[in-house]
RNA sequence: GCUUCUUUAGCUCAGCUGGUUAGAGCACCUGACUGUUAAUCAGGGGGUCCUUGGUUCGAGCCCAAGAAGGAGCGCCA
C-alpha cells in the first residue's frame, strides 16, 4: 500500500506543510547527520526536506548506502518538526536507495559537503547544479526566460524563430563561426585557387548567426510586433567576465516604433522582468543575496557594492532609468572629477566611442542607476541604424547597468531606401547580399525599431553572479567547449 | 590579442631571510554519541609543492620559458 504513494515534489510538501499526510519524495542526499537526519533535495526549490530515520527499524546495512550525493526514494508521514530548522519533516517508513554515491569518488567532486570556489564549481559544471548557488541561479534563469515570453505574449508580440545557420555576413556584429560539411582535409578550390563554396552543403558560404535582427525586421514588417529568443554565436577572442562565444539573445522588433518607443519598451521590459523575479523567486534571490553579503564582507570596504542584491533589484524595478544623449554624456564626462584629474585612460571627445571606464563612471558614480544613452555618432555604429536629421548621429540606444555594462543595444532602423543603399556602399556591403533586407524598404516601408538584450547579462544582474560563465549551464568561450 | 595576479593534500589556504621529516581547517575513513541543522568528540589515511630548464653545497621559496585559471582592457549583448 505504501508502494503506491505518488511522488510529491519537495517544494509542494514544504509549501502546504500539511501534517499527517502520507507522502513519497525522491531526491539527492545533501547531508546525513547523526545517523538520523537526512537532508533531501530534489531541485524543486532551494530548501531541503528533513527525512528522519530510526536506525533500529531499517534493514541491516541499508543506511550505510545513504551517503552524500545518493539518490533516494522515501515514503512516510509528514509531521511537525521537533527541531528548529524546519516546520515539517518526514518520519520515514520506507526508504529505497535508487542510486548510491561512492564516498571515495564523491570526495573528489564538488558534491562533497564543503565550501568550493566558484572556479572549481565551473570545472565541474556537470555537477554544479547540485549546489545551492547554482540551483538558485538556474531556477532564476528559467523564471526570467518564462517572464520574457509572458511579457511579450501579453503585449501582443509573436515569438519568431530566426535561423541559426545563416548565409548573411553583412551585419558587422563580429567574427563568425563557419558552418560547412566539407572534408577539412580536402577542401575543393576553384580555378582561381579560392575555396569553392558552390560545392559546400548549402552551395554558399554559411555561418552561425551573430544576430537574428535582420530577419526579425522582415517579420516585424508584416506581423507588427515580433521577438526572437535564441542562441547567438560570436567567434571573438574575448576574455572577460561578461562575454561568451555562445549566448542567448532576446531581440524584439516593432513596426511603427521610433527611438522613444524603443527606449520605453526596453525600460518597461527590464523592470517587468526584475519585478517578476522578485515576486516569484523570492527564496532563491534571498539566498543569492545572503551569499553575496557573506562574500562582500571578506572584501575591503572600497570594493564592496554600495547596495545589496535585493536593494539593487528593488531599486531598478521601482525607479526610472536616466536618459542621456551621447552629446550630453560627453559633456557630463568632460565636467566629471576623473576627467579633470586626468584619471580616464581613454580620451573623452565628441566622435569617439565611450569606453567601459566612461560608461562605468556614468552608471556607477554619477547617476548610480541604469542609464540609457542615445543618438550616437554614426561613425562607429552599424549600417542599419537610422540617420538623424543632424546628419551626424544615428537613432541608436544602449542601456547600461551597474556592474554589467551594456545589457541592451538597439536602434530605430533606417527605413529610407536611398539612405540605406548609400550606407551599404559606405560599409562595403554588396547589395546582392542583403537584397531581401532592402526589399522591405521598397514595399510599404515604415519606421520601426528594436533592440538586443543579452540574456546572460540580465541573469547576472538578477542573481548577482559576477562571471557570465556562471549563469549559463555549459559556457562556451575561447579554448573551452567541455561537456 | 594586451596588462596584471595566482598555481602547495580531494577542497580552501599557510609555509619566515633559500636550510633537516612540507602544515592547518574542511572533506574522506574508523570509533563514540543518537533530536541533529555544513551535528559534535577522539583517532587515522592522504603530497609529481603546475611543467621544463637554470642558479646554488642545498629550491615549495631565486631566475627563464611554457601551461592552466582569475581580474582588468579591447571587441560586444
Amino acid at each position: 500500500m505504501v508502494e503506491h504513494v505518488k511522488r510529491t515534489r519537495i517544494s509542494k510538501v514544504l509549501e502546504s506543510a500539511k501534517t499527517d499526510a502520507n507522502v513519497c519524495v525522491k531526491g539527492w542526499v545533501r547531508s546525513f547527520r547523526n545517523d538520523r537526519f537526512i537532508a533531501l533535495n530534489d531541485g524543486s526549490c532551494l530548501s531541503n526536506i528533513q527525512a528522519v530515520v530510526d536506525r533500529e527499524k531499517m534493514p541491516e546495512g541499508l543506511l550505510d548506502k545513504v551517503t552524500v550525493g545518493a539518490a533516494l526514494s522515501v515514503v512516510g508521514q509528514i509531521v511537525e518538526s521537533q527541531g528548529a530548522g524546519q516546520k515539517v519533516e518526514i518520519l520515514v517508513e520506507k526508504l529505497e536507495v535508487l542510486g548510491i554515491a561512492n564516498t571515495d569518488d564523491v570526495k573528489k567532486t564538488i558534491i562533497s559537503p564543503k565550501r568550493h570556489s566558484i572556479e572549481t564549481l565551473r570545472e565541474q559544471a556537470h555537477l554544479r547544479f547540485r549546489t545551492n548557488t547554482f540551483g538558485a541561479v538556474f531556477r532564476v534563469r528559467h523564471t526570467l526566460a518564462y517572464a520574457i515570453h509572458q511579457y511579450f505574449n501579453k503585449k501582443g508580440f509573436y515569438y519568431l524563430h530566426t535561423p541559426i545557420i545563416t548565409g548573411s555576413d553583412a551585419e558587422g556584429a563580429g567574427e563568425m563561426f563557419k558552418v560547412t560539411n566539407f572534408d577539412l582535409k580536402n577542401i575543393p578550390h576553384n580555378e582561381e585557387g579560392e575555396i569553392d563554396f558552390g560545392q559546400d552543403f548549402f552551395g554558399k558560404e554559411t555561418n552561425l548567426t551573430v544576430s537574428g535582427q535582420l530577419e526579425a525586421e522582415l517579420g516585424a514588417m508584416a506581423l507588427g510586433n515580433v521577438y526572437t529568443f535564441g542562441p547567438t554565436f560570436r567567434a571573438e577572442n574575448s576574455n572577460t567576465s561578461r562575454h561568451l562565444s555562445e549566448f542567448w539573445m532576446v531581440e524584439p522588433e516593432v513596426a511603427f516604433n521610433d527611438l522613444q518607443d524603443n527606449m520605453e519598451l526596453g525600460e518597461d521590459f527590464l523592470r517587468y522582468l526584475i519585478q517578476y523575479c522578485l515576486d516569484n523567486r523570492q527564496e532563491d534571490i534571498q539566498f543569492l543575496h545572503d551569499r553575496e553579503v557573506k562574500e562582500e564582507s571578506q572584501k575591503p570596504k572600497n570594493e564592496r557594492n554600495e547596495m545589496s542584491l535585493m536593494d539593487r533589484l528593488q531599486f531598478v524595478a521601482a525607479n526610472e532609468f536616466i536618459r542621456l544623449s551621447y552629446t550630453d554624456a560627453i559633456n557630463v564626462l568632460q565636467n566629471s572629477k576623473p576627467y579633470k584629474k586626468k584619471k580616464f585612460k581613454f580620451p573623452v571627445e565628441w566622435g569617439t566611442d565611450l569606453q567601459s571606464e566612461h560608461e562605468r563612471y556614468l552608471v556607477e558614480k554619477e547617476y548610480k542607476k541604469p542609464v540609457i544613452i542615445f543618438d550616437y555618432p554614426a561613425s562607429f555604429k552599424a549600417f542599419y541604424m537610422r540617420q538623424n536629421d543632424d546628419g551626424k548621429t544615428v537613432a541608436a540606444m544602449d542601456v547600461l547597468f551597474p556592474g554589467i555594462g551594456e545589457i541592451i543595444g538597439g536602434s530605430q532602423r533606417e527605413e529610407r531606401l536611398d539612405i540605406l543603399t548609400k550606407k551599404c556602399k559606405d560599409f562595403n556591403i554588396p547589395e546582392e547580399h542583403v537584397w531581401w533586407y532592402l526589399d522591405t524598404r521598397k514595399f510599404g516601408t515604415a519606421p520601426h525599431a528594436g533592440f538586443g538584450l543579452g540574456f546572460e547579462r540580465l541573469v547576472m544582474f538578477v542573481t548577482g553572479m559576477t562571471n557570465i560563465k556562471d549563469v549559463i549551464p555549459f559556457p562556451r568561450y575561447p579554448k573551452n567547449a567541455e561537456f
Side-chain angles (χ1 to χ4, degrees):
Chain A
M1 141 193 106
V2 262
E3 283 79 7
H4 293 94
V5 181
K6 259 199 159 181
R7 176 172 86 104
T8 309
R9 296 268 272 171
I10 288 169
S11 59
K12 283 271 177 291
V13 176
L14 294 174
E15 264 167 42
S16 67
K18 227 194 283 166
T19 52
D20 296 330
N22 210 38
V23 295
C24 169
V25 299
K26 300 182 186 189
W28 294 270
V29 177
R30 284 294 180 82
S31 74
F32 187 15
R33 287 183 294 269
N34 220 346
D35 263 8
R36 196 173 166 83
F37 304 102
I38 302 166
L40 212 57
N41 187 286
D42 69 356
S44 60
C45 59
L46 183 84
S47 298
N48 306 321
I49 195 154
Q50 175 153 282
V52 186
V53 291
D54 188 340
R55 184 151 210 123
E56 312 284 296
K57 291 182 185 165
M58 287 289 138
E60 186 73 29
L62 180 63
L63 290 185
D64 294 344
K65 293 184 195 159
V66 177
T67 57
V68 172
L72 306 185
S73 171
V74 154
V75 176
Q77 289 288 116
I78 304 175
V79 297
E80 240 173 79
S81 178
Q82 298 170 38
Q86 55 284 314
K87 275 191 191 137
V88 293
E89 62 195 15
I90 298 180
L91 281 184
V92 175
E93 283 152 27
K94 184 170 169 280
L95 184 151
E96 191 186 341
V97 177
L98 301 173
I100 59 157
N102 180 286
T103 51
D104 271 347
D105 296 332
V106 164
K107 76 177 179 186
K108 290 174 191 160
T109 73
I110 51 103
I111 293 173
S112 65
K114 64 169 304 298
R115 226 196 109 64
H116 305 275
S117 67
I118 204 85
E119 290 82 13
T120 302
L121 293 166
R122 197 178 300 147
E123 282 167 18
Q124 296 180 36
H126 61 309
L127 299 174
R128 63 181 178 171
F129 301 110
R130 299 272 188 109
T131 63
N132 284 335
T133 298
F134 283 92
V137 166
F138 291 117
R139 279 186 296 269
V140 169
R141 186 180 164 108
H142 158 79
T143 299
L144 278 169
Y146 178 78
I148 285 166
H149 289 302
Q150 194 191 60
Y151 177 88
F152 284 132
N153 189 56
K154 273 189 193 170
K155 301 260 171 179
F157 283 68
Y158 300 111
Y159 181 23
L160 191 71
H161 296 102
T162 50
I164 288 168
I165 299 172
T166 171
S168 140
D169 62 352
E171 292 145 14
E175 287 294 309
M176 302 177 98
F177 288 103
K178 293 174 174 58
V179 174
T180 180
N181 76 338
F182 276 153
D183 174 1
L184 295 184
K185 285 174 196 145
N186 185 22
I187 296 171
H189 289 77
N190 62 19
E191 284 164 11
E192 283 88 51
E194 290 160 343
I195 294 170
D196 186 6
F197 286 105
Q199 291 187 46
D200 204 352
F201 189 85
F202 294 107
K204 64 184 290 194
E205 195 172 357
T206 50
N207 302 293
L208 291 179
T209 183
V210 290
S211 163
Q213 180 205 313
L214 300 193
E215 289 91 347
E217 281 188 51
L218 311 181
M221 293 314 284
L223 295 163
N225 297 21
V226 301
Y227 71 104
T228 73
F229 186 177
T232 308
F233 307 87
R234 303 273 166 93
E236 301 286 349
N237 189 17
S238 295
N239 295 293
T240 79
S241 53
R242 46 181 206 288
H243 288 88
L244 290 167
S245 311
E246 177 184 285
F247 63 99
W248 289 66
M249 190 152 62
V250 182
E251 295 175 291
E253 196 68 39
V254 184
F256 313 113
N257 261 14
D258 63 13
L259 186 68
Q260 284 300 322
D261 301 325
N262 205 30
M263 289 194 277
E264 268 161 41
L265 177 65
E267 175 167 348
D268 186 59
F269 180 49
L270 285 171
R271 288 170 62 189
Y272 174 89
L273 298 177
I274 290 164
Q275 189 61 53
Y276 188 89
C277 280
L278 284 169
D279 294 342
N280 293 281
R281 279 262 96 85
Q282 217 272 329
E283 186 188 30
D284 288 314
I285 292 176
Q286 186 64 52
F287 173 83
L288 292 163
H289 168 98
D290 294 342
R291 174 186 178 279
E292 189 186 86
V293 168
K294 253 180 246 162
E295 211 152 85
E296 294 265 302
S297 67
Q298 313 276 321
K299 288 192 203 160
K301 265 193 181 154
N302 58 343
E303 284 174 28
R304 292 182 200 170
N305 270 314
E306 286 181 32
M307 269 193 262
S308 68
L309 176 61
M310 203 63 93
D311 289 346
R312 296 200 298 275
L313 297 180
Q314 281 162 356
F315 182 84
V316 171
N319 290 283
E320 288 186 0
F321 298 179
I322 295 282
R323 294 189 197 183
L324 193 66
S325 74
Y326 167 87
T327 304
D328 289 344
I330 293 289
N331 283 330
V332 170
L333 286 167
Q334 286 179 342
N335 286 311
S336 69
K337 267 188 196 166
Y339 180 81
K340 289 176 177 167
K341 291 186 174 172
K342 299 199 189 320
K343 287 277 168 65
F344 288 135
K345 278 186 189 158
F346 291 88
V348 180
E349 53 189 59
W350 205 97
T352 62
D353 203 357
L354 298 177
Q355 303 294 319
S356 5
E357 59 175 356
H358 307 138
E359 295 178 348
R360 289 185 86 125
Y361 170 79
L362 292 171
V363 173
E364 291 163 21
K365 295 280 185 298
E366 178 77 23
Y367 298 109
K368 300 186 182 189
K369 60 161 78 172
V371 175
I372 308 179
I373 299 179
F374 59 93
D375 285 349
Y376 281 87
S379 56
F380 54 81
K381 288 290 184 185
F383 79 99
Y384 52 74
M385 295 186 176
R386 191 179 193 278
Q387 197 173 83
N388 287 325
D389 292 342
D390 63 12
K392 294 188 298 186
T393 61
V394 291
M397 63 165 217
D398 283 357
V399 180
L400 309 175
F401 261 38
I404 310 284
E406 187 181 341
I407 197 164
I408 277 180
S411 69
Q412 186 175 339
R413 317 307 189 187
E414 185 55 75
E415 85 281 13
R416 295 161 296 189
L417 182 63
D418 52 337
I419 298 177
L420 190 56
T421 314
K422 187 180 176 298
K423 277 288 193 73
C424 284
K425 277 200 193 80
D426 295 347
F427 281 76
N428 289 319
I429 298 166
E431 280 185 39
E432 60 267 29
H433 283 192
V434 288
W435 62 272
W436 42 271
Y437 185 70
L438 296 173
D439 255 12
T440 54
R441 274 68 173 173
K442 293 178 187 165
F443 311 118
T445 193
H448 59 290
F451 60 79
L453 166 77
F455 182 58
E456 281 77 17
R457 290 188 180 174
L458 176 64
V459 181
M460 283 173 81
F461 184 75
V462 176
T463 58
M465 301 302 279
T466 52
N467 192 313
I468 201 166
K469 292 161 190 161
D470 299 325
V471 297
I472 189 167
F474 301 105
R476 269 81 183 96
Y477 49 98
K479 301 273 180 286
N480 205 302
E482 192 67 57
F483 307 108

